[in-house]
Amino acid sequence: MALQPPDTAIVGVGATPYYPRGESYPQTITELAGRAILAACEDAGLSVKDIDGFAYYSMAGGGYGRSMDTASLMETLGIPEITFTASLTAGGGGSAGSIGLARAAIVAGDATCVVSVMALQQLPQYRLGGVFGKAEPTPEKSFIQPAGLTGPGHLMSVLARRHMHMYGTRREAFAEVAVSTRENALTRPTALRRTPLTLDDYFNARMIAEPLCLYDFCMETDGAVAVLTTSLERARDLRQKPVPVIAAAHGGRREWGRAFSWMGMPEETFASSGHAAVAQRLYGKAGVGPDDIDVALLYDHFTPMVVMQLEDYGFCPKGEGGAFVESGAIRYKGGSIPVNTHGGHLSEGYVIGMTHVREAVEQMRGTAVNQVPDAKLALVSGGPATIPVSGLILGRDA
Amino acid sequence: MSAVLSRALPPERVQIATDHVTEPFWQAARERRLAAPRCADCGHFRLPPTPFCPECQSQKVDWVQLSGRASVFSFSVVRDIPGLDDAVVVAAVVDLPDAPGARLVSNVIDADPDEVRIGMELVVDFSPVSDGWLLPVFRPFTPAVEGKEG
């Protein structure tokens, strides 16, 4: 299959350190986002004054109850004028898709240098793990909140249970996601968890929402990551080797809809990541298929959703994700499709998906800590969650 | 057999909010009836209640009183609840056989959490929450319960 000629490229990535939950305080959300943006500009060899567009996701939210604001960022960073500022709706499902939003602005001629940014700071009152339990009741939430599924992982444990029931998926598969991801983090200086995780550790850990235990849950961290996208033509004059945007897609079908905030999905969709439709469209736009992908950066808020994304992105047939990961297929060393080579949200840091974009860029530049040899295409996914979910394929410049 | 049977969250920990679309569900529950909205034009059930029928876009609904029978579609066992150290909550997504296509997210109460299974038959009960409302919850269905109900 031939690739579509790319029109845009990622030219800069910047990040703050990743911090355990709450420890980025007393920095503010604007400060964290600003540090990541400045670092991305430095990486690209651009001035922050070159930025003329913002393409957010998660409604420009900086985690639960917080948000970033373009005008505030312009005010403090000295950005003179912007010609595009927009966000994908809903939450972390749009992380990969925010690069598609940046691309759309550039291709439409609405902006020339677009930043996508996420800054997360989980002070006690803004802790994501308790968000569903603490949120003010609404007529819609009153049909789920009373059941006691207080966090996103509690909600997704119900999907995991159904997958186990339908397909015979074992906790060993979830364990393999946790253990293999931790192994990738061991060598990564930015990772917050750099001690080996054993199967014994996994099975001895406390259960949080059965069938899920502590190590099925990602970390609760703070930090910010910013990504700069420009036209491919301009990218070729900048400091870094351009990383072309091969394709991006976001959206989803109503059978997934509000997903685990709804629980009304038909059976096959219920035990899925909700990405199947976006995956199909993404591959179609790119002119490639799962066999062409060399490294997959899959949003790993909870281990079972990695298993289900592997199915929805076609790395294995539907229902066979458990056996597929248990075979060692997602290992950096010896796997057929290395997954989350940076340690993911499970072991490196959780910044609502943007750390996965950062790793995909490093893989395509050839500078990743756990570099996949000769990797030519990287897949990035946004979080399985309320629509939109999203996917992104990055490549290497010819 | 587990020593601790599953329970619902304490009444003071659960608040609900209503609007004109959802209120009939909660008013019925307050009268210890389980009711669901059925499209008055095409007969499609939907939960939670929403303004339009997703099949035919009609806004006309009939509120149908259901039998209260349900079955476990999937569930989670939550033991680590702040302030309720010894409690076990079984959060369940349930199918309603007489409202096909509609589901509720609720609790299985008075069950040994180790005995809860997908497909397990349930029957509705009502558990107090804040402000005088009642929450539909479910307990394992047994012939004894059936006798009492029927």
Side-chain angles (χ1 to χ4, degrees):
Chain A
M1 285 181 282
L3 296 178
Q4 303 297 312
D7 42 34
T8 47
I10 293 176
V11 294
V13 177
T16 66
Y18 306 140
Y19 307 85
R21 165 167 57 84
E23 292 186 14
S24 64
Y25 186 82
Q27 296 173 85
T28 65
I29 285 285
T30 299
E31 190 174 357
L32 291 166
R35 286 179 68 191
I37 291 169
L38 290 171
C41 291
E42 173 65 24
D43 182 52
L46 284 164
S47 161
V48 72
K49 296 178 180 180
D50 292 322
I51 292 174
D52 59 7
F54 283 78
Y56 304 96
Y57 60 103
S58 195
M59 305 295 281
Y64 173 62
R66 321 292 300 277
S67 67
M68 294 172 285
D69 179 69
T70 295
S72 299
L73 287 166
M74 292 171 73
E75 179 180 337
T76 184
L77 292 174
I79 297 170
E81 183 180 6
I82 56 108
T83 54
F84 182 89
T85 178
S87 175
L88 297 184
T89 50
S95 55
S98 68
I99 308 304
L101 182 61
R103 175 188 169 270
I106 294 162
V107 170
D110 286 331
T112 64
C113 180
V114 181
V115 65
S116 299
V117 56
M118 175 52 74
L120 175 63
Q121 184 178 56
Q122 301 191 67
L123 300 178
Q125 65 272 35
Y126 300 124
R127 191 179 166 190
L128 281 169
V131 49
F132 288 87
K134 283 191 303 202
E136 281 297 304
T138 66
E140 194 172 71
K141 285 188 190 128
S142 295
F143 284 83
I144 195 157
Q145 219 169 14
L149 297 166
T150 54
H154 296 70
L155 292 160
M156 278 175 258
S157 72
V158 181
L159 276 55
R161 167 100 58 191
R162 190 71 198 177
H163 198 275
M164 297 170 88
H165 173 79
M166 287 179 74
Y167 304 117
T169 310
R170 313 191 308 162
R171 285 190 66 210
E172 281 78 355
F174 307 153
E176 166 62 12
V177 173
V179 168
S180 65
T181 306
R182 177 63 61 84
E183 189 172 284
N184 296 341
L186 299 181
T187 51
R188 186 152 168 95
T190 49
L192 291 176
R193 287 187 181 156
R194 278 181 285 165
T195 53
L197 178 70
T198 67
L199 271 183
D200 277 350
D201 296 333
Y202 179 89
F203 282 103
N204 290 329
R206 73 185 165 91
M207 302 304 292
I208 294 180
E210 291 173 21
L212 302 188
C213 72
L214 176 66
Y215 294 113
D216 293 312
F217 282 58
C218 73
M219 291 183 289
E220 296 179 291
T221 62
D222 296 356
V225 179
V227 178
L228 283 171
T229 306
T230 71
S231 70
L232 182 55
E233 189 184 354
R234 184 177 184 185
R236 287 178 175 143
D237 295 332
L238 297 177
R239 181 173 288 158
Q240 303 288 346
K241 195 177 157 205
V243 174
V245 177
I246 304 299
H250 75 263
R253 292 185 58 82
R254 84 162 161 108
E255 291 83 354
W256 178 253
R258 290 191 295 120
F260 41 82
S261 303
W262 173 47
M263 300 289 192
M265 303 85 90
E267 189 167 31
E268 184 168 318
T269 306
F270 193 97
S272 86
S273 72
H275 274 260
V278 159
Q280 195 176 6
R281 199 151 45 82
L282 182 70
Y283 288 137
K285 289 174 82 169
V288 305
D291 291 346
D292 300 307
I293 302 295
D294 300 300
V295 56
L297 295 315
L298 302 178
Y299 196 108
D300 55 336
H301 38 14
F302 304 99
T303 60
M305 305 318 285
V306 173
V307 173
M308 297 184 216
Q309 285 175 87
L310 287 163
E311 297 173 356
D312 286 345
Y313 278 95
F315 295 106
C316 62
K318 183 71 197 158
E320 295 179 18
F324 183 72
V325 299
E326 283 191 59
S327 76
I330 65 170
R331 291 263 170 171
Y332 169 56
K333 291 175 186 155
S336 56
I337 178 68
V339 169
N340 296 344
T341 41
H342 56 322
H345 289 336
L346 293 166
S347 287
E348 189 203 29
Y350 172 74
V351 190
I352 319 188
M354 287 304 265
T355 60
H356 292 58
V357 179
R358 180 189 189 186
E359 172 69 2
V361 170
E362 291 180 11
Q363 287 285 348
M364 292 300 95
R365 287 178 180 173
T367 60
V369 171
N370 294 313
Q371 181 65 43
V372 174
D374 302 321
K376 292 183 179 60
L377 290 175
L379 170 71
V380 190
S381 69
T386 293
I387 283 174
V389 297
S390 64
L392 171 69
I393 295 175
L394 299 179
R396 289 200 166 192
D397 196 22
Chain B
M1 178 104 182
S2 236
V4 179
L5 296 182
S6 61
R7 55 167 291 173
L9 292 176
E12 68 277 9
R13 300 264 291 253
V14 180
Q15 276 92 40
I16 63 151
T18 67
D19 59 23
H20 78 100
V21 175
T22 68
E23 191 165 344
F25 176 89
W26 296 106
Q27 292 294 359
R30 189 136 77 173
E31 297 162 9
R32 306 183 72 86
R33 294 184 294 111
L34 183 64
R38 184 179 64 195
C39 175
D41 283 318
C42 79
H44 177 78
F45 278 99
R46 59 188 191 266
L47 278 175
T50 54
F52 302 92
C53 172
E55 299 301 317
C56 74
Q57 292 71 50
S58 168
Q59 288 200 262
K60 293 182 206 146
V61 293
D62 294 323
W63 280 90
V64 178
Q65 182 167 339
L66 306 179
S67 67
R69 295 290 302 274
S71 66
V72 175
F73 180 75
S74 195
F75 68 101
S76 183
V77 180
V78 184
R79 298 176 195 270
D80 196 16
I81 303 164
L84 291 176
D85 290 343
D86 297 325
V88 183
V89 167
V90 176
V93 177
V94 305
D95 279 328
L96 304 167
D98 39 4
R103 292 207 185 111
L104 281 174
V105 184
S106 181
N107 294 119
V108 179
I109 62 163
D110 291 341
D112 177 346
D114 294 335
E115 299 293 319
V116 177
R117 296 283 180 272
I118 288 176
M120 185 177 189
E121 296 292 320
L122 306 170
V123 64
V124 75
D125 198 344
F126 295 88
S127 179
V129 296
S130 297
D131 304 321
W133 295 105
L134 291 177
L135 175 72
V137 295
F138 294 85
R139 58 176 68 250
F141 175 82
T142 62
V145 173
E146 183 183 35
K148 197 167 71 185
E149 294 287 308

